[in-house]
Structure formats: C-alpha cells, structure tokens
C-alpha cells in the first residue's frame, strides 16, 4: 500500500483529494492547522483504517515516521479575502512551508506535487493563459503576497528538481468550486450563494465585466491525480476553459437559486484580474484529460451542498464587510 501526505487536508481541495486517494487504495496522512480549513471536511474519514490526521503548521519543521511515496502540498489560504487578512502566513506557507515539504520529500525519496495557481499569471496580458506565459504580477499589490508566494513555490520546486533530482510536479489550478467551500471565504461562488440563501443582494465587484472560468472539483481532482502519476515536471494548467463574465454569472445564480434579490455594485478590489481562462491544450495532450462537468450541473451540486447547511452555519458565516482589507 502506497502512502501519500496531503497538506491542507481540512480545506476544500485537500479534503476531496483525501477522498480520492482513499478510494484508490492509498494510505493517506492528512495535515492541516485549520487556519482556513474546517474539521468537518474530514469528519467522514475520522475512523477510516487508512486515514491518519496530523494537526500541524507546515511552516514549522515536519516530522513523519515511516515511508512516504507521494506528497501533495495544498496548504495555503486560497481566497483573496483570506490572504488579505493573513498575508504573512500566506507568504510563509508558500515559501517556508514549501521548503519544509521539499526537504521532507528529499529525505523520504517521495514524489511531490505542489498546488500552484492561475494567479502566477497575475492580471494576464496573454489570453487564454498558456503555461509558457510569464505573467503580469504586481509584487507590491495586495494580491502580491499570494501570487509571489506561489511563484517562489514554483521556483524552489524546480530548484529541488534540478539540483537534487527530486521528482516534482506543478499544477496551476484555475478557479475551482464545489461542496465544502467555506461559505464565508469571500470567493465569488460561496459569496453569491450565501447571499441568495440569506435573502441578501448579490454584490458584484466593479462593473462585472471581468471574466473567470470555473472548474468543478471532481474534474480538478482527476487532473491532479493524472498529473501526479505522469512523468512531466513543468507546470500544467488544470481548469475549465468555459469563460463567463461575473455579471452573467450573477444572473445565472439568480436563476438557479430563485432569489428575488437584486445585484448591487461595489468597488473592484485592487489588482483583481480582468480576465482569466486556462489554455488546457497541454493537459489534454499529456494527461488525456479534459473537464466533464458543465457549469449547470456543477453549480446545482454546489447549491445543494450550501442548502444543506444549518441555519446557524448560514448566519454564523454571513458575508462580512471586508472593505478595510481591500484597496489599501
Ligand atoms: P482552503 O482554504 O479551503 O484550503 C487550504 C487549507 O490549507 C486549509 O484547510 C488551511 O487550514 C490549510 N493551511 C493553510 N496554511 C497552513 C499551514 N501553514 N499549515 C497547515 N495547513 C495550512 O483552499 P482550497 O481552495 O482548498 O485551496 C487549496 C490549495 O489549492 C491552495 O494551495 C491554493 O492556493 C490552491 N488553489 C486553489 C484554487 C481554487 O480555486 N480552489 C485555485 C488555485 C489554487
Ligand atoms: N467577486 C464579486 N463579488 C463577490 C466576490 C467576488 O464580484 O462577492 C468577483 C471578484 O472581484 C473577482 C471574481 O468575482 O473578479 C472572482 O473572485 P474570487 O474571489 O472567487 O476569486 P479570484 O478569481 O479573484 O481569485
């Protein structure tokens, strides 16, 4: 039985990855410090014979007994609101955390896959974004803490590959959604769905003409799984190329949820990218992968999840005014 360590296991993507590796017959060690994650996401694995959980901050030295075959490093705040609130932790988990995990991979002779992001392209001047585009990132803008941590993460990962011959993989994840996203994490899907469920107006930042391309979680997990088992060491985009403006997306959510509320417009946060769409030619060719779940199906599943939350969860996590964190 192979063993995989998954950091960020109590988060949205990490918990789905734990499920996938358990289903494939691996022994899974989940690690998290709960800074943006939730114990609830792993509750169903609590008594599973092949699952173990270690509460640990990966920016501190990591000690694991026994062998490791694979490491998936997914620990990091991922929502703009989260990384604006905890910028130093974001920089540390991408840099010191990644360094610790690369060191662990080297010591255990394990293969490591790191979770990078479309944010390495910044506010892109090339559209759709191909892996050979170097990006347009403002190092000192509010999003710089995340973008630069992820860019450093890619660089140190390649250095470990080149210098120590470590087996490394880099996935550039584009906006992914699905059940277990935190309702108050500030990302657009939980934000709009939470607002619809609470009977509040939907808040569009800016004029809503900025675009995103949303990938359902099961497609993302499939792409990551295939990339890990491939022999390709350079970054690979995984996302759904179906691009939509945030305004049209809000209209879709209004229809889906049946809310009678309106759209209201707020300031566009500084550095908010105007367009984002993955070019997935490489993933198609290399991994024989492409997304299977359309937005209508994925959004319905996600809405069913948010609807299943208790009243307390819905209101406990009510959308806060985060404006003091943005545009500074
Ligand atoms: P998430 O916030 O739900 O999960 C991140 C998890 O990492 C949380 O459980 C958090 O507690 C944990 N964590 C953070 N810092 C830690 C530390 N120092 N030590 C241990 N655990 C720590 O976010 P997510 O959407 O699941 O994102 C997971 C990864 O995927 C992140 O690395 C993110 O950058 C990347 N990513 C996600 C998306 C997306 O659309 N979901 C897009 C691009 C990249
Ligand atoms: N957005 C919005 N209203 C919200 C939350 C987000 O209009 O309540 C916009 C945000 O400004 C961005 C897009 O939706 O243009 C996607 O934001 P998200 O935080 O999900 O992720 P990003 O792709 O910016 O990292």
């Amino acid at each position: 039985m192979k063993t995989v360590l998954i950091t960020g296991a109590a988060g949205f993507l990490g918990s789905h990855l734990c499920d996938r590796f358990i289903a494939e017959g691996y022994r899974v060690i989940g690690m998290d410090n709960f800074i943006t994650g939730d114990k609830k996401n792993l509750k169903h694995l609590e008594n599973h014979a092949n699952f173990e959980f270690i509460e640990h901050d990966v920016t501190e030295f990591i000690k694991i007994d026994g062998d490791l075959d694979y490491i998936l490093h997914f620990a990091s705040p991922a929502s703009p609101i989260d990384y604006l609130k905890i910028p130093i932790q974001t920089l540390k988990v991408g840099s010191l955390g990644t360094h610790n995990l690369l060191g662990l991979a080297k010591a255990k002779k394990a293969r490591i896959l790191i979770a990078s992001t479309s944010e390495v392209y910044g506010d892109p001047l090339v559209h759709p974004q191909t892996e050979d585009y170097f990006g347009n990132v403002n190092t000192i803008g509010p999003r710089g803490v995340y973008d630069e941590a992820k860019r450093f993460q890619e660089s140190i990962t390649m250095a470990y590959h080149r210098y120590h011959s470590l087996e490394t993989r880099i996935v550039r994840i584009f906006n992914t959604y699905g059940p277990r996203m935190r309702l108050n994490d500030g990302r657009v899907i939980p934000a709009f769905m939470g607002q619809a469920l609470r009977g509040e107006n939907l808040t569009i930042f800016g004029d809503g003409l900025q675009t995103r391309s949303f990938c359902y979680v099961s497609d993302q997990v499939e792409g990551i799984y295939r990339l890990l088992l491939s022999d390709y060491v350079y970054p690979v985009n995984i996302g759904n190329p179906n691009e939509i403006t945030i305004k049209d997306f809000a209209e879709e959510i209004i229809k889906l949820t049946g809310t009678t509320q309106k759209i209201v417009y707020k300031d566009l946060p500084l550095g908010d990218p105007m367009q984002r769409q993955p070019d997935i030619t490489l993933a198609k060719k290399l991994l024989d992968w492409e997304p299977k779940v359309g937005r209508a199906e994925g959004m319905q599943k996600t809405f069913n999840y948010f609807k299943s939350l208790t009243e307390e969860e819905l209101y406990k996590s009510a959308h806060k005014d985060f404006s003091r964190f943005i545009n500074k």
Side-chain angles (χ1 to χ4, degrees):
M1 182 179 273
K2 294 205 181 228
T3 302
V4 53
L5 169 69
I6 301 179
T7 74
F12 161 54
L13 287 178
S15 65
H16 285 282
L17 285 164
C18 289
D19 288 346
R20 176 62 187 264
F21 280 85
I22 289 282
E24 297 285 346
Y26 288 75
R27 176 173 163 253
V28 175
I29 304 173
M31 182 172 283
D32 207 295
N33 68 348
F34 302 117
I35 193 162
T36 61
D38 193 336
K39 286 192 170 84
K40 198 180 96 173
N41 291 336
L42 294 173
K43 185 111 190 82
H44 59 291
L45 293 178
E46 217 170 43
N47 298 317
H48 198 291
N50 297 338
F51 183 74
E52 185 189 330
F53 181 77
I54 303 173
E55 183 170 346
H56 184 70
D57 179 339
V58 300
T59 66
E60 305 287 338
F61 183 84
I62 305 166
K63 191 179 171 308
I64 301 280
D65 294 327
D67 292 339
L68 279 182
D69 298 285
Y70 299 117
I71 297 175
L72 285 93
H73 178 30
F74 276 68
S76 170
S79 150
I81 295 300
D82 284 344
Y83 55 76
L84 288 166
K85 280 202 293 192
I86 43 173
I88 316 289
Q89 288 93 330
T90 303
L91 282 157
K92 283 174 73 178
V93 74
S95 53
L96 304 180
T98 303
H99 188 208
N100 285 338
L101 286 149
L102 288 164
L104 180 67
K106 180 168 150 270
K108 300 282 184 185
K109 298 186 172 44
R111 180 181 297 178
I112 179 166
L113 179 146
I114 60 140
S116 186
T117 166
S118 52
E119 282 283 320
V120 299
Y121 302 121
D123 193 0
L125 305 175
V126 165
H127 193 73
Q129 292 79 56
T130 43
E131 287 87 349
D132 57 4
Y133 176 47
F134 295 158
N136 177 36
V137 172
N138 177 4
T139 56
I140 57 163
R143 284 183 178 244
V145 294
Y146 181 69
D147 302 5
E148 290 301 334
K150 291 290 184 179
R151 288 168 69 97
F152 173 85
Q153 184 181 48
E154 290 195 1
S155 301
I156 192 171
T157 298
M158 286 310 298
Y160 265 73
H161 171 69
R162 293 192 176 110
Y163 190 73
H164 292 302
S165 303
L166 193 68
E167 283 197 50
T168 54
R169 306 287 180 267
I170 299 173
V171 57
R172 287 189 182 150
I173 301 169
F174 283 66
N175 295 66
T176 300
Y177 69 99
R180 302 188 195 151
M181 290 187 97
R182 231 170 65 234
L183 197 62
N184 66 346
D185 85 356
R187 286 185 272 192
V188 68
I189 292 176
F192 284 172
M193 288 200 170
Q195 288 162 344
L197 285 167
R198 289 187 298 268
E200 298 167 2
N201 289 326
L202 271 60
T203 53
I204 286 189
F205 300 160
D207 57 11
L209 296 181
Q210 70 271 36
T211 68
R212 293 295 186 272
S213 311
F214 298 104
C215 180
Y216 190 64
V217 62
S218 57
D219 284 330
Q220 184 63 245
V221 165
E222 183 63 36
I224 292 167
Y225 187 75
R226 289 185 189 208
L227 177 61
L228 177 73
L229 299 184
S230 78
D231 56 9
Y232 192 75
V233 298
Y234 297 103
V236 179
N237 290 339
I238 298 286
N240 189 323
N242 189 355
E243 186 181 11
I244 185 169
T245 66
I246 294 301
K247 192 168 186 295
D248 289 346
F249 188 56
E251 300 288 356
E252 276 189 10
I253 295 207
I254 287 175
K255 275 206 194 86
L256 168 70
T257 59
T259 176
T260 52
Q261 299 299 311
K262 302 272 170 293
I263 288 172
V264 294
Y265 291 87
K266 300 219 163 181
D267 287 348
L268 185 71
L270 258 185
D272 198 296
M274 285 317 292
Q275 51 182 5
R276 191 183 282 152
Q277 182 191 33
D279 181 317
I280 57 165
T281 311
L282 181 62
K284 277 186 182 164
K285 192 170 131 219
L286 202 71
L287 311 174
D288 188 24
W289 171 91
E290 63 181 327
K292 299 262 183 291
V293 182
R295 205 168 48 241
E297 183 189 347
M299 291 300 289
Q300 184 64 59
K301 287 183 170 156
T302 308
F303 186 49
N304 293 347
Y305 169 77
F306 285 126
K307 267 198 301 195
S308 75
L309 299 180
T310 61
E311 279 280 291
E312 194 196 341
E313 284 172 311
L314 187 61
Y315 283 92
K316 180 181 76 184
S317 23
H319 196 59
K320 302 276 188 325
D321 180 6
F322 292 111
S323 49
R324 74 192 169 91
F325 295 111
I326 10 194
N327 293 341
K328 272 210 285 192

